[in-house]
Amino acid sequence: MLERMFKLTERKTSVKQEVIGGVTTFMTMSYIIFVNPSIMSDTGMDKGALITITCLSAAIGSLIAAFWANAPLGLAPGMGLNAFFTYTLVIGKGIPWETALGVVFISGLFFLVLSIGGIRERIAQAIPVELKIASTAGIGLFIAFIGLKSMGLIVANSATFVSLGKFTPTVVLGVIGIMISALLELRNVKGGMLIGMITTTVLGMIIGVVELPTQIMSMPPSIAPIAFKLDIIGALQFALIGPIFSFMFVDLFDSLGTLIACAKEMGMEDEDGNILSLGRMIHTDVASTIIGSLLGSSTVTTLSETTAGIAAGARTGLASVVIGMLFLLSLLFTPIVGIVPAYATAPALIIVGIYMFKNLKELDLNDFKTALPVFATVIMMPLTYSISTGLSFGFLSYIVVHVGTGEYNKVSPVLWCIGGLSLLSLMV
């Protein structure tokens, strides 16, 4: 049955190899179970429900990848997009989290439309590579900034806006968590960030700043406080056009780049270099985003940690079945997840931010026409606490620089449209 369903022999793999690959991917992405509820609960959403929804949306997305795309993909609420949801939309713009979920749902519908007839790929190709890389790096800097703030290493200052915080016991534990996670990552230990979070939480229990769990296992918290509470009508307002397209563009860059990288690693290319089953993998991403928003999650997407499982040998959707089942199993351990404090999840934000930020090395910043829009994108995200603002400044500065130097051919019609939307988002 497994052979017929997942074509193991054709993909030159085995059940054992797929299980190892699935477990590897799960270990590298399981930090999201702790981090996503920690971020999104800042909106006022019920943290217990968020833990359950994080596991459910990851399991559903991974199982869709298994049975629809037959691809070893691990899907979950995307880092950066959950921060955008919380700190830009809900806290920054002051809109209710129900409306923000409506924004995610509408962006998912746009994903669906764009995935028809290859429109999504053509838009991605029209956007300059330097802006794609800059957006990833800027989001990395943004979520690292959030991590530093949530652990208390940096604090507000009326004179300088930010300054170094006091080294309280929890701040010290957060710094220890960064060091543990970083050293484990350097040694290529699978699940290094997860181990760092658990170790830091245990140290917190020892010194008395974290309460011991009253039980280890239980039935998962109800999703009723959040599920199906999205406000789609409220999201259909002119002021939210920018955020809707920002969700779309960020997921467009992130997921498409990850999917292509994964497919190439698996050798899923024809003789012309076209990616086999890319359409189904994109549809998996789209469906997961729409279902996730209905449940109460920010954008669900293919995580880059998927490449760890592929490197370990995963080649089919059987690995995704393993990933999905492990996320469902995690639902039984929600009492442990619920006690993990912000200072323990913050190191994971910082480490992920570093991974995203280092993509800048691919750019030649000696060319000022590249350096200016890249810098505008990267610096404005953390300074304005808004991914959409950073993207808008990046697109607009790219257009101005190239039109001003007479390089009109570098600005495609698609980019002109994006520039117009960016200008609108800054004005509303």
Side-chain angles (χ1 to χ4, degrees):
M1 182 184 68
L2 292 177
E3 173 61 39
R4 287 197 312 273
M5 188 173 295
F6 298 111
K7 303 177 182 178
L8 301 177
T9 303
E10 181 182 320
R11 299 276 181 92
K12 299 177 183 179
T13 185
S14 64
V15 173
K16 178 182 177 181
Q17 191 170 312
E18 294 302 298
V19 171
I20 291 172
V23 171
T24 300
T25 296
F26 174 78
M27 286 297 294
T28 57
M29 65 183 286
S30 56
Y31 68 88
I32 201 70
I33 300 173
F34 302 85
V35 176
N36 190 59
S38 178
I39 291 175
M40 294 189 65
S41 61
D42 285 347
T43 64
M45 300 170 79
D46 183 84
K47 187 174 182 180
L50 283 169
I51 294 171
T52 303
I53 287 167
T54 299
C55 292
L56 281 178
S57 60
I60 291 170
S62 299
L63 291 173
I64 293 173
F67 296 110
W68 175 248
N70 190 21
L73 307 178
L75 290 94
M79 291 296 294
L81 290 164
N82 51 10
F84 180 44
F85 179 97
T86 299
Y87 301 108
T88 299
L89 284 188
V90 179
I91 296 176
K93 289 186 174 291
I95 69 171
W97 57 262
E98 295 91 343
T99 304
L101 286 174
V103 170
V104 176
F105 179 83
I106 293 169
S107 73
L109 293 182
F110 275 109
F111 296 157
L112 180 62
V113 172
L114 293 177
S115 66
I116 299 171
I119 299 173
R120 185 175 182 175
E121 292 91 322
R122 284 198 287 271
I123 290 177
Q125 291 167 0
I127 296 170
V129 66
E130 51 262 55
L131 292 182
K132 296 176 187 176
I133 294 172
S135 68
T136 301
I139 292 169
L141 194 60
F142 178 49
I143 63 176
F145 184 78
I146 292 169
L148 293 168
K149 176 177 175 289
S150 65
M151 67 184 281
L153 189 59
I154 58 173
V155 295
N157 184 294
S158 58
T160 61
F161 293 106
V162 293
S163 62
L164 186 67
K166 294 181 179 180
F167 281 87
T168 62
T170 56
V171 172
V172 172
L173 286 174
V175 173
I176 292 172
I178 295 172
M179 294 169 61
I180 292 171
S181 298
L183 290 172
L184 291 173
E185 290 294 317
L186 286 169
R187 292 179 176 272
N188 294 316
V189 176
K190 304 302 181 188
M193 286 185 284
L194 176 63
I195 295 170
M197 277 187 282
I198 293 172
T199 304
T200 313
T201 303
V202 171
L203 289 174
M205 293 176 184
I206 293 172
I207 68 172
V209 294
V210 176
E211 293 184 8
L212 292 170
T214 56
Q215 53 186 341
I216 302 300
M217 298 176 65
S218 73
M219 292 301 292
S222 170
I223 64 174
I226 297 174
F228 305 105
K229 298 291 180 67
L230 70 169
D231 181 8
I232 299 172
I233 302 300
L236 293 171
Q237 52 182 288
F238 186 75
L240 295 178
I241 290 177
I244 289 171
F245 279 91
S246 292
F247 269 114
M248 184 186 72
F249 288 131
V250 173
D251 195 27
L252 177 69
F253 305 151
D254 194 29
S255 64
L256 194 58
T258 300
L259 291 175
I260 291 173
C262 290
K264 286 180 178 291
E265 180 72 20
M266 290 186 291
M268 292 178 63
E269 294 179 282
D270 60 20
E271 56 274 10
D272 298 321
N274 299 313
I275 304 298
L276 303 175
S277 299
L278 181 60
R280 289 201 169 214
M281 288 191 281
I282 289 174
H283 295 155
T284 296
D285 220 60
V286 171
S288 300
T289 291
I290 293 174
I291 294 171
S293 67
L294 292 171
L295 290 175
S297 172
S298 59
T299 302
V300 177
T301 187
T302 305
L303 299 192
S304 59
E305 285 79 5
T306 293
T307 55
I310 293 172
R315 292 294 180 272
T316 74
L318 182 56
S320 292
V321 173
V322 174
I323 296 167
M325 292 298 103
L326 288 173
F327 271 110
L328 291 176
L329 183 63
S330 300
L331 287 169
L332 299 176
F333 298 93
T334 50
I336 297 176
V337 180
I339 66 162
V340 177
Y343 74 78
T345 57
L349 291 173
I350 295 164
I351 298 298
V352 172
I354 293 169
Y355 275 120
M356 297 176 75
F357 184 77
K358 71 178 185 178
N359 288 314
L360 281 180
K361 71 179 186 296
E362 300 176 22
L363 296 177
D364 177 16
L365 297 179
N366 291 317
D367 183 355
F368 196 72
K369 290 196 295 295
T370 297
L372 178 60
V374 166
F375 179 78
T377 304
V378 171
I379 199 66
M380 293 303 287
M381 286 187 187
L383 291 186
T384 62
Y385 231 60
S386 170
I387 291 173
S388 61
T389 300
L391 286 173
S392 296
F393 272 94
F395 284 124
L396 290 170
S397 58
Y398 181 92
I399 293 170
V400 170
V401 165
H402 286 85
V403 170
T405 55
E407 295 184 337
Y408 305 101
N409 61 317
K410 293 288 186 71
V411 184
S412 66
V414 172
L415 201 54
W416 277 113
C417 292
I418 295 172
L421 290 171
S422 297
L423 190 59
L424 278 175
S425 70
L426 292 176
M427 295 172 63
V428 296

